[in-house]
Amino acid sequence: MFFLAFRQMAARKKQTALICLGITFGTMVYVLIAGTQYGMREYLSEQLLNNTAHVLIKGNDRKIDGEDLRERFFPSEKFVGWITPPVGKREETRLENPQGWFARLEGDPDVVAFAPRFTVNAILSRGSLRRSVALTGIVPDKYVQVTSVADSMVSGSLYDLRAGTNGVVIGSGVAEALGVREGQTILLSTGAAESRPFKIVGIVELGNQQIDEAISLAHINDVQNVNRTPGRVGEISVALRDIELSKEKAGQWSLTSADKVQGWEEANASFMTIIKIQDLVRIIITGAILLVSAFGIYNVLSIMISQKQKEIAILRSIGYSPKRILELVLIQGFTLGFVGASAGLVIGLLLNVYIGSIDLGFKIGKGSSLFISYRPSIYITAFVAALIASLIASVLPARAASRMTPLDIIRSNL
């Protein structure tokens, strides 16, 4: 049966080659699009998780609500309104009971690690040069367990941020703006007190220009002292044993706390929307290409059946059952899909390797080339989709061929 199927395909070399090329092209395009999209997604996810971790616990914004104040001052007056509604916050965002959170997280088996943080706006200065930064207080031993910032250190180490030493790690963009390097001293001010000297113990480069031009890290005790807010914690980053649990854990913890608890997907809702749009575009493009390829297979097999009616009549006459004729056509459709999909995977992989090696001339992360993902699911999905499209396109011609009888064929050719 296989020999006969291959002989019939070999008799139509040009048609067979064109259909294989169509399937190859569709599979290749999927691999290319998915590889680049997933590559950039992994890069952006890493950047986001460096800032939010799997779950982020932070104090609720204590915003001033004009309606709430109206009800407090004039509870019985329904028609009293503000000419200019009040705006602002009652105080700085903070966790009410960070120690309680520490105890809770330490006892949760789903929590791998957690790290307290306290971020304030600060000004770094050296001579007449000044730079506004987001100064984040961390506990280095805990911070390295929930983020990969330590892997992005250009010089120095996060572990050099020890309490009471007034050490600071700054972004590469900050270092360039101030013209400083590791080992030098700069002045740091949060506006709560006079400027204090801090020693640069390291420089970090995350590959995101906006972050690298604004990031600065110090020990949380030093940040609390320079801001005159001892013991204050702004947020806690939590790393879970399974990132898929982030939404579930955030929901559970938020039920018993007034603090704001967000899974990484909720905290980056706009990013997740972009991901969904990318997925939709990829599916539409690939589906359209595979649909065209499937129509090609359908047409070729239909033409083949029309041209090979006499051969089908002979096969039926010598004892081939309708089921065997059906298998004959399906084997041809499956073979076209298998060969085209395999070639598409190989070409797509080689093109991804080539594209990933191209120097774009500008920085993306730590390098200057596109991030390409080679996750197995991309290639499995492309291969299975091509085979399914080929088999579906083969079903109708195969059923039509299996229903032919020698008498019907003879009558149609009279």
Side-chain angles (χ1 to χ4, degrees):
M1 184 63 69
F2 283 95
F3 175 76
L4 182 59
F6 294 150
R7 281 291 300 272
Q8 289 187 346
M9 287 190 294
R12 306 180 313 280
K13 294 184 177 64
K14 289 184 179 180
Q15 293 175 330
T16 301
L18 286 174
I19 293 305
C20 282
L21 284 175
I23 300 172
T24 298
F25 181 74
T27 307
M28 177 195 71
V29 169
Y30 180 87
V31 171
L32 286 175
I33 295 176
T36 53
Q37 284 188 350
Y38 279 115
M40 290 305 298
R41 180 184 303 182
E42 290 167 2
Y43 163 69
L44 292 174
S45 297
E46 181 181 356
Q47 295 295 314
L48 292 172
L49 289 175
N50 278 336
N51 292 283
T52 60
H54 297 165
V55 177
L56 185 64
I57 304 169
K58 58 183 180 180
N60 273 312
D61 293 332
R62 301 173 183 275
K63 294 181 179 179
I64 296 175
D65 188 345
E67 184 63 24
D68 183 54
L69 291 178
R70 186 193 65 77
E71 292 179 357
R72 287 176 180 270
F73 290 124
F74 308 100
S76 60
E77 299 293 337
K78 297 182 179 180
F79 301 102
V80 173
W82 295 97
I83 297 175
T84 303
V87 294
K89 293 184 179 181
R90 291 188 176 88
E91 59 181 351
E92 194 176 61
T93 301
R94 63 176 178 178
L95 294 175
E96 291 294 339
N97 183 20
Q99 297 300 326
W101 276 114
F102 297 161
R104 181 174 187 174
L105 295 173
E106 286 175 352
D108 195 316
D110 292 323
V111 175
V112 174
F114 64 90
R117 300 191 301 192
F118 179 49
T119 302
V120 297
N121 294 322
I123 296 177
L124 305 182
S125 59
R126 175 178 176 268
S128 60
L129 300 176
R130 287 180 173 79
R131 189 75 179 183
S132 296
V133 298
L135 177 64
T136 301
I138 63 170
V139 179
D141 292 340
K142 293 181 176 293
Y143 196 66
V144 296
Q145 297 181 56
V146 299
T147 73
S148 59
V149 172
D151 299 331
S152 301
M153 295 294 295
V154 176
S155 64
S157 170
L158 284 180
Y159 293 104
D160 293 332
L161 295 175
R162 294 185 292 273
T165 61
N166 280 8
V168 63
V169 171
I170 60 177
S172 58
V174 178
E176 183 179 351
L178 295 177
V180 295
R181 60 181 181 273
E182 180 191 353
Q184 293 186 320
T185 300
I186 56 177
L187 294 178
L188 187 151
S189 174
T190 63
E194 295 182 356
S195 299
R196 296 186 185 182
F198 272 69
K199 182 180 180 180
I200 300 173
V201 298
I203 296 176
V204 63
E205 184 173 357
L206 298 175
N208 185 312
Q209 184 178 359
Q210 291 183 337
I211 296 178
D212 290 335
E213 291 180 348
I215 188 174
S216 59
L217 305 169
H219 196 282
I220 192 169
N221 290 351
D222 293 340
V223 176
Q224 291 166 345
N225 290 335
V226 76
N227 196 53
R228 291 186 176 178
T229 49
R232 181 165 295 183
V233 176
E235 54 193 24
I236 303 173
S237 299
V238 183
L240 302 174
R241 60 177 175 81
D242 184 359
I243 192 174
E244 299 297 330
L245 295 173
S246 61
K247 186 175 181 180
E248 176 185 344
K249 301 301 292 188
Q252 291 177 0
W253 294 340
S254 63
L255 292 175
T256 56
S257 174
D259 294 319
K260 191 173 184 178
V261 186
Q262 291 181 312
W264 80 277
E265 293 182 354
E266 182 185 355
N268 302 283
S270 58
F271 172 69
M272 298 307 299
T273 301
I274 293 174
I275 285 180
K276 292 177 181 178
I277 293 173
Q278 286 182 341
D279 290 340
L280 180 61
V281 170
R282 185 179 66 252
I283 292 171
I284 291 174
I285 292 175
T286 308
I289 294 172
L290 291 178
L291 184 63
V292 172
S293 301
F295 272 116
I297 294 174
Y298 173 80
N299 290 331
V300 167
L301 293 179
S302 297
I303 294 172
M304 182 274 293
I305 292 170
S306 178
Q307 295 175 343
K308 301 293 182 180
Q309 286 186 358
K310 292 182 180 179
E311 293 182 11
I312 294 174
I314 294 172
L315 291 174
R316 291 299 308 277
S317 300
I318 62 176
Y320 273 70
S321 65
K323 182 180 178 181
R324 299 279 285 174
I325 300 298
L326 179 70
E327 291 176 358
L328 175 67
V329 180
L330 288 178
I331 287 172
Q332 294 183 33
F334 177 83
T335 302
L336 290 170
F338 182 86
V339 173
S342 300
L345 293 182
V346 174
I347 296 173
L349 173 61
L350 295 176
L351 286 176
N352 273 341
V353 172
Y354 173 71
I355 291 173
S357 66
I358 297 175
D359 188 344
L360 300 177
F362 55 89
K363 295 199 77 174
I364 302 179
K366 297 178 183 178
S368 57
S369 57
L370 286 176
F371 289 86
I372 303 296
S373 175
Y374 299 97
R375 58 171 67 182
S377 61
I378 295 174
Y379 299 88
I380 294 173
T381 301
F383 188 77
V384 171
L387 284 184
I388 291 176
S390 301
L391 288 175
I392 291 175
S394 305
V395 169
L396 291 178
R399 291 184 63 186
S402 66
R403 292 173 179 174
M404 289 183 177
T405 63
L407 184 59
D408 292 333
I409 295 173
I410 293 173
R411 286 175 177 173
S412 64
N413 285 274
L414 290 176

